Amino acid sequence: PSFGDLLKIHPWRQARIAYFGDSVTDPNIPSTQKKYWKYLEEWLHATSYVYAVNGRQWDDIPNQADSLSKEHGYQFDAILIFIGTNDYYADLPIGVWYTESKEQTHIKRWHQPRQTVTRLRRHFDYNPQTLKGRINIAMRKIKSMYPDKQVVILTPLHRALFNYKDKNIQLDESYQNGAGLYLDEYVKAIKETQEVWAVPVIDLGNLSGLFPLITEQTKKFNAPGDLLHPNNYGHKIMAQTLLYQLFGLPCRF
């Protein structure tokens, strides 16, 4: 369908969408006058509930979920979570999804007596000092608070040099962080959330095509000195990518 036709039949049309995240989503950060969610709001005639906060990491997602609950209760349709780049910047260990223990349990196959067996069993790891532990904590809370709401996770964008008046200098993703990890290792873990917690993940970092490590791209999609946050045009590209990706997902169950 054409762009106009797509908007008329889009399953997220007139949706009430909550946004969790960091500075790329935060409406109070002046890196751009028009964030990606504002474009989606206009195109889809949607309502935006934005709880993203500058500098936040995955451990703040439960707080943002509480804020949504306090202000809107159950009166919304879906949640988009777009966070993770600050976990990389903070040198957070990746961690593990599960721990394992040996436990006794019972099984019974057809026409056989009941048996007591010892099996390895895995348990979610809820370590708040690791990325996977933080994601487990956040997803357990959101899945418990809103068991029948659509939740979609977006991967972080590629990132290049950020220099705010020499007060905040962040290196580009070609460098390992202080934990000896590259950004793509954090992105890989966030993608795995789809398999661990049964939530769709949109690989916005790659599907958007934004790649600020190339100078010719930054001239179009970033402001000078800020190769971490996209400009208005960059946010429009992000919104267009999301518009088409979200078309394949239900908004309301």
Side-chain angles (χ1 to χ4, degrees), residues 2-253:
S2 68
F3 189 76
D5 291 337
L6 178 71
L7 299 182
K8 294 177 182 178
I9 61 173
H10 201 287
W12 291 60
R13 182 176 173 82
Q14 296 182 334
R16 299 163 299 177
I17 309 170
Y19 295 88
F20 299 166
D22 51 36
S23 58
V24 182
T25 305
D26 187 346
N28 299 310
I29 299 303
S31 58
T32 179
Q33 291 76 44
K34 197 169 184 179
K35 303 280 185 176
Y36 67 93
W37 49 265
K38 194 66 176 178
Y39 286 102
L40 290 175
E41 188 178 273
E42 292 180 0
W43 295 337
L44 295 172
H45 300 286
T47 302
S48 302
Y49 303 141
V50 185
Y51 295 96
V53 182
N54 177 37
R56 294 300 192 267
Q57 303 169 30
W58 262 98
D59 60 349
D60 194 56
I61 294 302
N63 298 328
Q64 297 180 27
D66 284 338
S67 296
L68 171 64
S69 177
K70 182 179 179 180
E71 294 187 7
H72 297 286
Y74 222 70
Q75 303 306 306
F76 68 95
D77 299 303
I79 299 172
L80 265 60
I81 303 175
F82 185 24
I83 204 165
T85 195
N86 290 313
D87 297 88
Y88 157 78
Y89 178 59
D91 307 331
L92 189 73
I94 297 294
V96 297
W97 292 115
Y98 309 103
T99 58
E100 288 184 325
S101 64
K102 285 185 177 180
E103 297 186 14
Q104 285 192 334
T105 188
H106 305 287
I107 63 171
K108 187 181 186 308
R109 297 186 174 93
W110 292 106
H111 310 301
Q112 293 184 14
R114 177 175 172 172
Q115 302 177 57
T116 299
V117 297
T118 300
R119 298 283 173 86
L120 273 177
R121 184 180 185 184
R122 62 187 186 186
H123 308 267
F124 285 113
D125 183 75
Y126 295 113
N127 183 350
Q129 301 305 316
T130 70
L131 176 65
K132 290 180 179 179
R134 289 178 173 185
I135 295 175
N136 281 341
I137 292 169
M139 296 314 302
R140 177 185 62 181
K141 177 158 190 164
I142 292 173
K143 286 275 191 177
S144 299
M145 290 175 70
Y146 303 114
D148 60 349
K149 295 294 186 181
Q150 176 67 280
V151 179
V152 182
I153 295 175
L154 317 179
T155 63
L157 300 174
H158 287 275
R159 51 183 292 159
L161 178 66
F162 174 72
N163 186 345
Y164 180 71
K165 301 178 181 179
D166 287 332
K167 296 179 180 180
N168 184 359
I169 302 175
Q170 301 184 25
L171 300 177
D172 69 54
E173 66 180 56
S174 65
Y175 293 89
Q176 287 184 332
N177 63 11
L181 300 169
Y182 290 105
L183 175 65
D184 55 270
E185 295 175 77
Y186 292 79
V187 173
K188 180 181 178 181
I190 291 170
K191 287 180 181 179
E192 291 173 3
T193 309
Q194 179 166 294
E195 300 174 11
V196 176
W197 283 97
V199 291
V201 174
I202 296 176
D203 190 6
L204 185 63
N206 293 314
L207 292 175
S208 67
L210 300 179
F211 196 71
L213 287 87
I214 299 299
T215 304
E216 289 75 13
Q217 277 236 334
T218 63
K219 291 178 179 178
K220 287 183 174 291
F221 303 126
N222 296 84
D226 185 354
L227 308 185
L228 176 61
H229 304 95
N231 60 17
N232 284 3
Y233 190 20
H235 274 271
K236 184 176 182 180
I237 298 299
M238 293 161 58
Q240 288 176 328
T241 303
L242 288 173
L243 183 74
Y244 283 92
Q245 292 296 311
L246 291 173
F247 187 79
L249 293 173
C251 177
R252 306 168 181 87
F253 293 127

